[in-house]
Amino acid sequence: MAGRFDPLTRAAARGGRTAVPRGSGHAAGAGAKSRTWTPDGPLDLGLTLGPLRRGPADPTFRTTPDGSVWRAAQTPAGPATIRIAARATTVHAEAWGPGADWLLDGLPALLGAADDPAAFVPRHRLLHASHRRRPGLRLTRTGLVLESLIPTVLEQKVTADEAYRAWRRLVRQYGEPAPGPGPAPQDLYVMPDARTWALIPSWDWHKAGVDAKRSATIVRAARVANRLEEAAAMELPEATSRLEAVPGIGPWTSAETLQRSNGAPDAVTTGDLHLPGIVGYALAGDRDADDAAMLELLAPYAGQRHRAARLILLAGATPPRRAPRMPRGDIGLL
């Protein structure tokens, strides 16, 4: 099971809440390709794109005081940077790098155009309130599997801080500076490509605090990256089977990945250390709920179980602490 976060202080953060400042304008950047898109309903950039941010210092993701979200990505067409800002009912985006067109083409999907919030029908008071308070929540769909899979594997069975530290170190060491001007060029990076992940030596995994089991899983996934990327166009059952064919990728990892790469509203996370207790406590007052009990409680939301779980996390309805925090470790110091 995974132990990624402090259930008292990080439930909302895990729910994908990222603060985006209210900006006053959006000036065109030098050499950028651009696109304007109008969503068909309310859109909250922080809630929609928040799950893509791996910690407050993620080198692939930034927000800036002008109200922009910056994201660097390794696309099928090459590295690229995209800047996204919402003004009134319109979204403005600019992109740089070889993969700029690919990112701009995927802008609607990234911002939840394929998502259908109306398909979610709350059946619990807490979920009704959480859903009503967040009309701009859309489920993002990046279309990039490895990008979501690798940081998810890093989060297996460690604290969030340990996983975020490993992600930062490896991306900065083996990635490349993001194309374009960037909010802070020295900080925004594109993650390494699949071949580079597969060639990282054991000592650098160790220095990043990544044990042999997680690093081996990432290397195996990187070696079949093309096959895994095909899962972005599959239905959830087929996509799940494709990912879990790789040793080291189980239900927890596949669900957390497909929630982002495929925008899968029913990819409920099982095998988690805290989530069953949070869902059980929020919906039935049962802090000791296991996966089976959680799935039973979420059964009325079949087809939308991930959205339901995320709305519960965003509501912050967590049980009182009764055990010490999960201890932090750093094998890089050994």
Side-chain angles (χ1 to χ4, degrees):
M1 292 191 296
R4 298 203 303 131
F5 72 115
D6 177 342
L8 288 180
T9 62
R10 296 188 179 174
R14 180 173 170 184
R17 175 181 293 160
T18 293
V20 177
R22 290 184 177 274
S24 57
H26 184 77
K33 296 183 177 182
S34 62
R35 176 175 183 177
T36 300
W37 179 69
T38 302
D40 61 2
L43 174 66
D44 186 315
L45 285 183
L47 285 173
T48 300
L49 299 179
L52 304 181
R53 187 176 202 170
R54 304 292 182 157
D58 184 347
T60 71
F61 190 107
R62 288 286 184 274
T63 60
T64 49
D66 66 354
S68 298
V69 174
W70 292 77
R71 172 171 142 76
Q74 189 69 251
T75 78
T81 305
I82 190 168
R83 174 192 186 187
I84 305 169
R87 299 290 179 262
T89 60
T90 304
V91 174
H92 302 276
E94 299 162 350
W96 297 262
D101 288 330
W102 194 93
L103 284 183
L104 291 174
D105 288 344
L107 179 68
L110 184 71
L111 299 181
D115 184 32
D116 182 14
F120 180 76
V121 180
R123 300 179 184 275
H124 295 81
R125 182 175 298 177
L126 180 142
L127 279 168
H128 183 273
S130 186
H131 186 242
R132 177 174 51 82
R133 290 170 185 161
R134 298 169 179 86
L137 170 62
R138 298 292 186 98
L139 300 184
T140 187
R141 181 173 189 152
T142 66
L144 299 170
V145 174
L146 207 65
E147 174 190 86
S148 295
L149 175 63
I150 289 176
T152 300
V153 173
L154 292 175
E155 293 168 359
Q156 290 177 348
K157 298 187 178 181
V158 297
T159 65
D161 288 343
E162 291 173 84
Y164 296 158
R165 172 185 174 275
W167 175 245
R168 290 194 302 269
R169 179 172 184 138
L170 292 168
V171 169
R172 287 176 177 153
Q173 183 174 356
Y174 287 99
E176 60 182 289
Q186 70 276 16
D187 290 332
L188 200 64
Y189 279 74
V190 177
M191 80 166 206
D193 60 19
R195 183 174 184 275
T196 302
W197 284 112
L199 294 176
I200 294 176
S202 60
W203 53 86
D204 278 339
W205 288 112
H206 188 85
K207 288 177 182 177
V210 182
D211 59 72
K213 183 176 180 179
R214 286 180 292 153
S215 63
T217 299
I218 291 173
V219 170
R220 284 191 292 265
R223 288 173 176 166
V224 293
N226 290 339
R227 293 283 289 163
L228 294 182
E229 293 294 349
E230 293 173 357
M234 297 178 178
E235 295 297 322
L236 182 59
E238 292 74 21
T240 298
S241 297
R242 178 65 60 91
L243 266 62
E244 293 180 12
V246 177
I249 298 177
W252 183 89
T253 304
S254 64
E256 292 279 323
T257 299
L258 296 172
Q259 289 164 9
R260 297 163 172 84
S261 64
N262 292 33
D266 200 45
V268 61
T269 303
T270 57
D272 193 271
L273 183 61
H274 300 293
L275 186 61
I278 291 175
V279 172
Y281 180 79
L283 300 186
D286 180 11
R287 63 179 300 159
D288 297 315
D290 56 12
D291 277 341
M294 176 182 71
L295 293 175
E296 184 176 352
L297 287 169
L298 293 177
Y301 303 103
Q304 295 283 321
R305 292 178 299 173
H306 163 52
R307 190 192 304 275
R310 190 171 169 205
L311 286 168
I312 290 169
L313 290 169
L314 287 166
T318 57
R321 180 187 298 283
R322 66 181 182 189
R325 287 184 174 90
M326 182 177 179
R328 299 181 183 179
D330 186 356
I331 66 170
L333 300 177
L334 300 178

